[in-house]
């Protein structure tokens, strides 16, 4: 059974295969609609893109969807364990996409699930399918993932998309990553130690300085205030501006897993280097590819 629990489980040939599959599905609309099966989406945390793109992907490949939009309204309120919920939902569905506030919950669910579990975000842990669509977006713009300079910006402590993206970047050659954050929102040691042995890493608190280094990919993220203790007074002023965009090279791309807050003002949306809406669309095709594999 092919669970998707962490970005660490992938190899470059597997990612290439998924990207080819995503491209194929994108261009073969009706023929692609031959995958029977039922997807269950089980979300214990808010979501727009992840849940809807998985559901849209399932419809586009010909399958059907059952969904608990706010799984906190499910039998969880009656004290049912995640294990029991998954054992039951696995009787109805052929694959389960799970989002939950607890780190490691997807692995717990996978241990008892009769069908594949896809981790759609486990608290501050990981978000592997987001990282796959991020890499897919980089590849479709630059033609490669290796040999590029990446600038990752924002809340690295709570940002599960950054954790998973770093695990995938560790698979590629000749990568340079600048981490732009402040001390209170720094990358967990486990992720930092992993990547320091595999890529050239530099760290700064200055987005201006990082932009001056001419990155090929700028990956912005929001401050995850909801994951911080109340009253925790953390400064978060990483914000792209027109003058920073002027300093960036013409071929660079700006990515964001979304939702955004103030870190990318909407006046920049028409800049062709801002590809986050296309990135979200790529997510649907990458997830379609993942579902085809899971089924
Ligand atoms: C991200 C998430 O849920 O981790 N959103 C997403 O899936 N696109 C990022 C976030 O919430 O900031």
């Amino acid at each position: 059974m092919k669970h998707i629990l962490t970005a660490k489980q992938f190899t470059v040939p597997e990612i290439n295969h998924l990207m080819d599959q995503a491209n194929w599905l994108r261009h073969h609309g009706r023929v692609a609609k031959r995958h029977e099966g039922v997807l269950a989406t089980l979300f214990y945390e808010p979501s727009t893109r992840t849940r809807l793109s998985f559901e849209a992907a399932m419809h586009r490949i010909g399958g059907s969807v059952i969904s608990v939009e706010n799984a906190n309204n499910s039998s969880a309120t009656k004290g049912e364990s995640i294990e029991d919920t998954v054992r039951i939902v696995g009787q109805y569905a052929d694959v389960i996409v799970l989002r939950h506030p607890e780190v490691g919950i997807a692995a717990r669910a996978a241990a008892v699930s009769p069908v594949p579990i896809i981790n759609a975000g486990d608290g501050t842990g990981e978000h592997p399918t987001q990282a796959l669509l991020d890499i897919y977006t980089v590849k479709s713009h630059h033609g490669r993932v290796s040999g590029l300079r990446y600038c990752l910006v924002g809340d690295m402590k709570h940002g599960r998309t950054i954790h998973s993206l770093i695990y995938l970047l560790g698979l590629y050659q000749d990568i340079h990553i600048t981490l732009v954050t402040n001390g209170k929102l720094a990358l967990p040691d486990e992720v930092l130690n992993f990547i320091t042995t595999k890529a050239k890493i530099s760290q700064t608190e200055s987005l201006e300085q990082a932009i001056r280094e001419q990155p090929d990919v700028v990956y912005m993220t929001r401050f995850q205030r909801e994951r911080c203790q109340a009253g925790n007074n953390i400064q978060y002023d990483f914000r792209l501006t027109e003058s920073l965009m002027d300093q960036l090279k013409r071929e660079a791309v700006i990515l964001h897993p979304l939702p955004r807050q103030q870190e990318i003002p909407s006046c920049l949306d028409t800049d062709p280097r801002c590809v986050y809406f296309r990135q979200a669309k790529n997510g649907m095709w990458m997830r379609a590819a993942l579902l085809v594999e899971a089924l």
Side-chain angles (χ1 to χ4, degrees), residues 1 36 45 62 69 72 76 112-113 115 135 156 162 180 187 193 196 201 231 243 268 275:
M1 220 192 305
E36 286 174 18
E45 269 190 355
E69 184 193 349
N72 298 309
V112 299
S113 175
V115 298
I135 291 287
M156 318 226 158
I162 288 199
V180 184
L187 202 60
N193 293 341
T196 342
I201 304 294
S243 87
L268 300 182
V275 300

Side-chain angles (χ1 to χ4, degrees), residues 2-66:
K2 287 189 180 165
H3 300 293
I4 298 172
L5 305 178
T6 162
K8 285 185 262 185
Q9 76 189 66
F10 291 97
T11 62
V12 171
E14 281 166 354
I15 298 170
N16 287 341
H17 172 73
L18 285 166
M19 293 196 277
D20 290 345
Q21 178 79 269
N23 283 334
W24 191 88
L25 292 166
R26 185 197 286 269
H27 294 113
H28 289 80
R30 295 224 166 268
V31 227
K33 270 186 160 288
R34 59 187 159 84
H35 298 275
E36 286 174 18
V38 176
L39 161 70
T41 51
L42 205 52
F43 277 61
Y44 295 81
E45 269 190 355
S47 170
T48 304
R49 273 149 295 274
T50 306
R51 188 172 65 85
L52 292 182
S53 64
F54 263 114
E55 295 185 1
M58 192 63 173
H59 288 298
R60 284 180 189 270
I61 62 171
S64 354
V65 176
I66 55 175

Side-chain angles (χ1 to χ4, degrees), residues 43 45-51 99 120-123 126-127 129-130 133-134 158-162 219-224 226-227 256-261 263 279-280 287:
F43 277 61
E45 269 190 355
S47 170
T48 304
R49 273 149 295 274
T50 306
R51 188 172 65 85
R99 171 172 287 187
D122 59 332
E126 276 207 62
H127 195 350
T129 69
Q130 177 71 42
L133 77 90
D134 296 339
H158 307 107
R160 56 196 175 195
T161 68
I162 288 199
Y219 190 89
M220 302 294 292
T221 64
R222 74 182 172 97
F223 175 32
Q224 307 212 356
E226 78 276 17
R227 300 198 193 276
H256 194 309
L258 304 174
R260 65 173 154 186
Q261 291 162 350
E263 63 278 359
Q279 178 188 358
R287 286 168 174 143

Side-chain angles (χ1 to χ4, degrees), residues 78-105:
K78 302 179 188 169
E80 185 166 68
S81 67
I82 190 73
E83 282 85 356
D84 276 2
T85 302
V86 156
R87 281 186 185 108
I88 296 303
V89 177
Q91 310 298 317
Y92 311 145
D94 303 296
V95 51
I96 298 174
V97 174
L98 174 68
R99 171 172 287 187
H100 195 282
E102 208 177 301
V103 177
I105 199 110

